[in-house]
Amino acid sequence: MIKKFRKRHVVPYMFIAVFLLLLYIFLRQDRKADFEARCGDVWMCRLIKGLEDRIAELQGRLDSLKGSRKDVGANQQQIQEDLNKRPVNPRFGEPRAPEAGGAAESVDVVGLTLPILLMACDRKEVSKALDSLLQYNPDLRRFPIIVSQDCGHEPTAKIIAKYTNVRHIKHVNNTAIVPQKKGQNVGYYKISRHYRWALTQVFDVYNYEAVIIVEDDLEVSPDFFEYFLATYPLLKDDPTLFCVSAWNDNGKSNFIDLNQPEMLYRTDFFPGLGWMLTKSTFKQLQPKWPAAYWDDWVREPGQMGQGAKSCIRPEISRTSTFGKKGVSNGQFFNEHLKFINHATTDVHFTQLDLSYLFKNNFDSFMDYRLNSVPVISLRDLKNRITKENEVKVIYKNNKEFQSHAKAVGIMSDLKSGIPRTAYRGVVTFVYMGIRVYFVPAKPWAGYQA
Ligand code: UD1
Ligand code: MN
């Protein structure tokens, strides 16, 4: 019976044993071994493999979708942050609506090259001025730097020569200078002669459309370049604009609104100290360029027409000067200039609607503003007897302007009858947290030298 059983059952048992053995070998294969190799041509394995691939692919897509959703979120957050950062200008206009276009788009600035002309002589700290310009220069092709050196001072020339990414030109004119009046500083004659020569190079030799002029004792703000780029269309389009300047003559920290780094004004007083000039304006100045005191000459009626032409100036200066020792004596520096700091802000001026600075707009804004601001006396201002946060104080003439100015501590000097920062006679500044306007009494007959 046993024999019978053996004979009858040995074959299936052998099959089972072989199957189990094969299964054992199969399962013992290294899990990391290639699935395809283990699987061979078995259709079931191929099916599983195909499904696995598909799952992996779908998982990949899901991950990338999750990633891009994160990106969109981050982008949206960035856009919102940028929008929030765009300063709302409560006094003169609103940020430019993205689709509306603005001043910056009325003239094409895309292909514009705006060179920087740095006037140098024998100041070794020219490297400080250059480092500052290079630090914030977004593109040297767009804002190429030309250093024009007067004075033939070799140690300074060597320092400039180290900057291989700027153009170094040298003014050589050894003709003796005889001042027109006794006691005049020859330095002012040399500066004026150098200015005429350097500007002639920029416009007649290199043929640029406009230039930003700085001196070897100036440092600039992070938004210095964008400021000039954004205001260029105004300068080009508004025939009543003579220049754009980076300087606020009353820019000491206690006289400015630090919460309004985007705020710009028009002024009838030429500020200089980092300013933009167009070729067409230079062409009018070139034939009559003065022998000395070029900046005060620009302020004369023959050039700026005592209010006929104005400049744009910022609430917070975009330049500061470290030039204590210079052609003029250091007193002005110690008492005044050294307290004017350049803004450390990075305002995106090209994203702002600057059309409020066109003459008609700005004049209307000013009239509207000043009509709604209450008048108080200088005494009440000084004693802060007011609850207003904007006030105007009237002055009758230059003399009274000067005594008002001295009483509060702003610049009291006038050039060609124009107070520093004045626009249509109005001088505005912050005093003990109050926005103040010194306003000439009506009817105003214009600036009187
Ligand atoms: C002041 C003005 C300056 C103006 C000058 C001319 C201020 C703070 N500065 O000069 O903007 O240009 O009056 O009226 O208001 N330089 C030469 N050749 C010289 C000497 C100087 O080219 O022989 C250059 C300097 O390198 C500098 C510029 O002229 O770039 C002004 O010289 P500086 O010594 O700084 O005189 P300031 O008294 O500041
Ligand atoms: Mn100087």
Side-chain angles (χ1 to χ4, degrees), residues 123 215 217 321 323:
R123 204 178 246 134
E215 299 188 338
D217 53 357
T321 174

Side-chain angles (χ1 to χ4, degrees), residues 12 22 26 62 86 133 155 157 215 236 255 331 364 369 374 430:
L22 282 174
F26 182 77
L62 192 69
R86 268 191 341 176
L133 282 171
E215 299 188 338
K236 196 88 183 135
F255 294 132
Q331 196 190 346
S364 319
R369 194 81 229 151
V430 172

Side-chain angles (χ1 to χ4, degrees), residues 109-119 130 133-134 137-148 165-169 195 198-215 220 224-229 232 235-236 244 274-279 282:
V109 292
V110 174
L112 177 73
T113 305
L114 261 181
I116 317 296
L117 173 65
L118 193 163
M119 304 296 286
L130 265 171
L133 282 171
L134 287 166
N137 193 320
D139 184 353
L140 275 168
R141 284 163 307 178
R142 188 155 213 200
F143 302 100
I145 298 173
I146 303 165
V147 183
S148 181
N165 48 357
V166 308
R167 190 196 284 260
H168 185 185
I169 57 175
Y195 259 84
L199 289 171
T200 301
Q201 300 301 301
V202 165
F203 291 119
D204 292 351
V205 178
Y206 305 130
N207 211 22
Y208 286 116
E209 271 310 302
V211 67
I212 301 165
I213 303 153
V214 292
E215 299 188 338
V220 305
F224 177 86
F225 294 91
E226 188 163 349
Y227 170 57
F228 284 109
L229 190 65
Y232 174 78
L235 187 59
K236 196 88 183 135
V244 175
W275 59 290
M276 178 161 59
L277 170 72
T278 61
K279 184 183 204 159
F282 178 65

Side-chain angles (χ1 to χ4, degrees), residues 119-123 150-151 187-188 190-191 194-195 214-217 273 293-295 321 323 325-329 332 337:
M119 304 296 286
C121 167
D122 57 2
R123 204 178 246 134
D150 197 18
C151 312
Y188 289 113
K190 287 177 63 191
I191 296 173
H194 181 201
Y195 259 84
V214 292
E215 299 188 338
D216 56 356
D217 53 357
L273 301 178
Y293 309 103
W294 70 267
D295 46 348
T321 174
K325 268 196 283 171
V327 171
S328 57
N329 66 41
F332 188 51
L337 297 173

Side-chain angles (χ1 to χ4, degrees), residues 23 79 175 183 197 257 272 386 402 415:
L23 191 67
I79 289 166
T175 321
W197 180 82
D257 185 348
T386 176
Q402 290 193 289
K415 305 260 168 124

